[in-house]
Each structure stands twice: as structure tokens, then as C-alpha cells.
Amino acid sequence: MKMANDEESHWANTTSVSEFILLGFSSHPKMQLLLFVLFLAIYLATLFGNSLLIALVKTDSRLHTPMYFFLANLSFLDISYTTTTVPQMLVHLLSTKRSISYVACVAQMYIFLCLGIIECILYAVMAYDRYVAICHPLRYTVIMNRSVCIKMVIGIWVCGLFFTTLIVSFTTRLPYCNLNEINHFFCEVPAILKLACADTHLAELVIFVVAVIVLLTPLSLILISYVFILEAILRISSGEGRFKTFSTCTSHITVVTLFYGAAMFMYMRPASSYSPERDKKFSLFYNVVSALLNPLIYSLRNKEVKGAVLKMTGCGKPGAWHSSHIMA
């Protein structure tokens, strides 16, 4: 009877964590204030840039094309992505209490992971859109019609919810000991697993398999799409035409490289290589910095977006810009 009571007491101790403490970036008051100002500026700029892009796509008829439909979805994901983590991080930078309840931590982990998986797959869909636009321009509006685009987005969300539920269920079924300090600025799966007081190999295997599916599979599709795109570009006779066509893809290539590079480092490496300080920087990059850079990259390289901004601000000349399904 005593042994049974001891086992019951041990189980209670390993599953009684009701909240976690997020250690964040620094405990130095002056550094915290500096980080608060920096991250607040980045967050506000992210909200402004991505909200502006969504507004432009919605209001400017020249941007009512599949490419901009997906781009608006990307901006929505980036806004949601950063809002899941940054506001809480800002509060913790100004507060001595950095706790988050177990339920809130799981919710944050679920939402963040789901949005991240959706964004991974969305990049592949955007690459396919560029492939159809460049390799099959005459059939572009037929293949990428509104119904197909909406079904693609719905399919992406279904995949995101499914894979996220799979990962989070394997993560939350583990018992967590009294050690509840997370050396991170938000509840991310690799950091949470470090606190588990049971064998995490099965959960790590599930995460790795899902990472292969949602990272390498879309990345492979992106690479295949660009192989066909490159072949089509090389068949263009004029150098100017080749450059003009390839320039429609440079924005997408840039953001894919930034996002996938950091995400693959975080989720496709051995658990033994986990380094809290280094991983926080990588998480910050693909969570916050990439969301800030996306609207800048697409707008700076995109004549149609520039034209829409000029039109919205009243600086554009009538007829100076023309709609195009192919040009980015």
C-alpha cells in the first residue's frame, strides 16, 4: 500500500505543473528596456507593413490576382504569427513576473506551430502559382481560378491543424516535473520538451517526421517549380525578357530562403544540439524578423504594389500602372 501511495505521489509531482516561467532574453533592467523599445518598434512596423499589404490587395483591382491573394494570406499569417508571441514578450520585458499558465502555454504552442506549418505549405503554393504564371501563361487564369485558390488555402489550413494536433498531443502527454523554467521567450516545442521528466524520444521522432513532411516536402516542390521556371526563362530570347521574368520570382526566393533556413535548423536537428541562447535567436528571426521583412521585400521589388501605394496616397498618375497576372 505504501509503495502504491509513493507511486501516486510521484505521478502527482511530475504532472502538477500549473504554470511555466519564461526566462526571455535578459534580466538586466536597462537591457530589458532597450529590448522592449526595439521589439515594440519591430512589432508595430510588422503590423503596419502587413496590414497595408492586405488593404492594398483588397482595395486595388489590379492586385486581384492569385499571386496577391496568396500574398495577402501570407501577411495575415505574419500578423497572427507575431501577435501570438510578441505582445506577451513585451509585457514580460517590463514585468518582474514572467509566468504563463500551463493552458496558455499549450495554446500559444499550438497556435504558433499551426501558423508556422501553414506558412511553410503556403510558400510551396506560391511557388506553384509562379510556375503556372511563367510556364503556362495562356492557361493561368483557368488553372488558378478563384475556386482553386480558395480550396488550396482551405487545404493548407486543414494540413496545419492536423500536423499541429499530432505534435502537440505527443508533447502534452509527457509528464512535466517541478522544474518549470523555460529558457525561451515563448512556449516553443523544443524548449518545452527539455522540461519533460520522461523519455522524449517518441515525441522527438514524431516532430522530426512531421518536420520532414511540412518542411522538406514543400521545399522540394518549390525547387522543382523553379527548375521548370528556370528552363522557361532560358528559352526566352532577349536578355531583358529573361531578367524581367526572373525578377518576378526573386521576392519569393528571398523569403523562402530566410524562413526555411531558420525553421529547418530549429526542427530538423538532434535534441542533443539544443542550445537555448542560440535557439532563441533563430526563433526570433523566423518568428519576428521574417514577418517584418516579408512586406518590405515584396513591396520594394514589386512595381504593382508600389503603384497601388502611390494610388492610395494620391501620388500615382492615372494609367501609369497596368495590371498583370504574371509580373510580381
Side-chain angles (χ1 to χ4, degrees):
M1 179 67 72
K2 185 177 184 300
M3 184 176 179
N5 288 336
D6 287 344
E7 288 180 358
E8 190 174 308
S9 175
H10 173 72
W11 177 255
N13 288 335
T14 59
T15 58
S16 61
V17 174
S18 60
E19 67 176 18
F20 292 106
I21 307 298
L22 294 167
L23 298 182
F25 287 100
S26 172
S27 58
H28 195 280
K30 289 185 178 179
M31 181 58 71
Q32 286 181 339
L33 183 59
L34 178 63
L35 290 174
F36 174 82
V37 174
L38 175 63
F39 291 140
L40 178 61
I42 291 175
Y43 180 59
L44 293 176
T46 300
L47 291 181
F48 174 77
N50 285 286
S51 298
L52 177 62
L53 207 50
I54 292 172
L56 291 174
V57 173
K58 185 175 178 61
T59 58
D60 196 310
S61 59
R62 296 167 297 180
L63 303 183
H64 292 174
T65 66
M67 186 183 77
Y68 294 107
F69 171 74
F70 294 130
L71 187 55
N73 276 270
L74 178 63
S75 290
F76 172 77
L77 287 174
D78 284 338
I79 291 173
S80 305
Y81 211 46
T82 52
T83 302
T84 304
T85 58
V86 176
Q88 176 195 259
M89 179 178 64
L90 293 174
V91 171
H92 286 178
L93 285 171
L94 296 181
S95 174
T96 55
K97 185 180 180 182
R98 299 181 177 183
S99 62
I100 181 172
S101 69
Y102 178 82
V103 174
C105 185
V106 172
Q108 185 185 60
M109 180 169 55
Y110 188 97
I111 296 170
F112 177 84
L113 190 60
C114 184
L115 294 172
I117 291 173
I118 291 169
E119 187 158 333
C120 285
I121 304 173
L122 180 60
Y123 282 130
V125 171
M126 293 172 73
Y128 176 73
D129 171 73
R130 294 296 80 212
Y131 158 73
V132 177
I134 293 172
C135 298
H136 305 283
L138 299 179
R139 299 178 58 206
Y140 180 61
T141 55
V142 176
I143 297 173
M144 301 297 293
N145 60 65
R146 181 175 178 79
S147 174
V148 169
C149 292
I150 292 173
K151 288 176 182 177
M152 282 182 168
V153 170
I154 293 173
I156 292 171
W157 277 86
V158 170
C159 289
L161 291 169
F162 171 76
F163 287 119
T164 302
T165 302
L166 188 63
I167 291 177
V168 173
S169 63
F170 274 89
T171 303
T172 54
R173 68 191 290 269
L174 293 168
Y176 290 91
C177 305
N178 291 327
L179 293 174
N180 66 340
E181 290 188 344
I182 303 174
N183 194 359
H184 213 311
F185 64 94
F186 72 100
C187 294
E188 191 168 24
V189 175
I192 297 293
L193 285 178
K194 298 298 291 185
L195 302 181
C197 49
D199 187 7
T200 60
H201 283 91
L202 180 59
E204 290 170 4
L205 178 61
V206 170
I207 292 170
F208 180 79
V209 171
V210 171
V212 169
I213 296 172
V214 302
L215 284 172
L216 289 189
T217 303
L219 185 58
S220 299
L221 295 174
I222 290 170
L223 293 175
I224 292 170
S225 295
Y226 277 108
V227 167
F228 286 109
I229 288 172
L230 186 59
E231 288 181 352
I233 290 174
L234 292 175
R235 287 197 297 268
I236 299 175
S237 57
S238 69
E240 183 182 352
R242 285 196 294 268
F243 175 78
K244 195 173 183 181
T245 305
F246 183 73
S247 66
T248 68
C249 305
T250 53
S251 299
H252 183 256
I253 293 172
T254 304
V255 297
V256 163
T257 304
L258 295 175
F259 183 85
Y260 274 85
M264 288 175 69
F265 175 82
M266 284 298 298
Y267 288 94
M268 294 189 68
R269 43 81 190 266
S272 58
S273 65
Y274 178 77
S275 171
E277 297 306 318
R278 180 189 60 194
D279 289 356
K280 279 188 281 189
K281 294 181 178 67
F282 271 91
S283 295
L284 183 68
F285 185 82
Y286 75 80
N287 174 19
V288 180
V289 178
S290 65
L292 170 67
L293 294 178
N294 280 354
L296 292 174
I297 292 170
Y298 275 102
S299 60
L300 290 175
R301 292 175 173 271
N302 194 309
K303 291 183 177 180
E304 288 185 337
V305 173
K306 290 178 183 177
V309 171
L310 291 174
K311 181 182 177 182
M312 177 179 281
T313 57
C315 299
K317 295 180 181 179
W321 305 93
H322 302 282
S323 179
S324 169
H325 292 298
I326 299 178
M327 294 305 298

